[in-house]
Amino acid sequence: MTSEAKLSWQPGKRDLLFLAIVAAVITLLVLGTSERTTKAVPDDDTHRHATSRAACMSCHDSGGVRPQPAGHTKADQCFQCHAQPRGWGK
Ligand code: HEC
Ligand code: HEC
């Protein structure tokens, strides 16, 4: 009977540490996805009617207004990171 008691699992210090780390990682992942940290696209007439990368870049290339910073991604999907103006495309 004594051997049977040893089989039941008792969380030790290492198990609790492991669980604490897992919980911390999950918390960070959830917080990290809940908020956009990139600047939103202004909700003005210009930005509501620009519908292609080429249109955006006609103003925001390196010689333009508010140029994309050095090392900025070359990705086409601007709105994946910069929140879209509310009335965009209308
Ligand atoms: C006709 C020129 C023009 C076009 C086209 C244009 N923008 Fe802009 N954009 C500006 C100007 C001027 C500003 C800064 C003035 C302001 O904040 O309203 C600005 C500001 C921004 C900002 C915010 C910068 C900050 O400091 O807050 C982002 C992001 C941006 N534009 C992204 C885009 C994207 C994405 C597109 C294409 C869908 C685009 N722009 C098309 C002229 C343009
Ligand atoms: C992978 C994410 C991502 C994508 C996709 C992306 N950007 Fe950005 N962009 C950023 C980050 C990060 C910054 C740094 C400044 C900030 O905090 O917004 C930035 C900065 C900018 C700025 C400068 C804003 C300022 O105040 O000086 C402009 C303009 C801009 N992006 C335009 C664009 C355009 C146009 C596109 C599509 C062709 C685009 N971005 C796609 C992440 C992205």
Side-chain angles (χ1 to χ4, degrees), residues 17-85:
L17 183 65
F18 177 72
L19 288 175
I21 290 170
V22 170
V25 169
I26 290 171
T27 308
L28 285 177
L29 287 176
V30 169
L31 289 178
T33 50
S34 65
E35 199 187 325
R36 272 192 218 241
T37 52
T38 319
K39 279 168 185 156
V41 175
D43 189 10
D44 59 18
D45 223 42
T46 307
H47 291 93
R48 277 192 292 269
H49 294 104
T51 51
S52 67
R53 182 200 158 90
C56 306
M57 295 313 286
S58 69
C59 293
H60 292 294
D61 68 5
S62 53
V65 283
R66 308 272 178 135
Q68 289 179 340
H72 185 280
T73 174
K74 302 273 181 287
D76 293 337
Q77 305 299 322
C78 313
F79 299 139
Q80 228 166 47
C81 301
H82 300 283
Q84 199 164 357

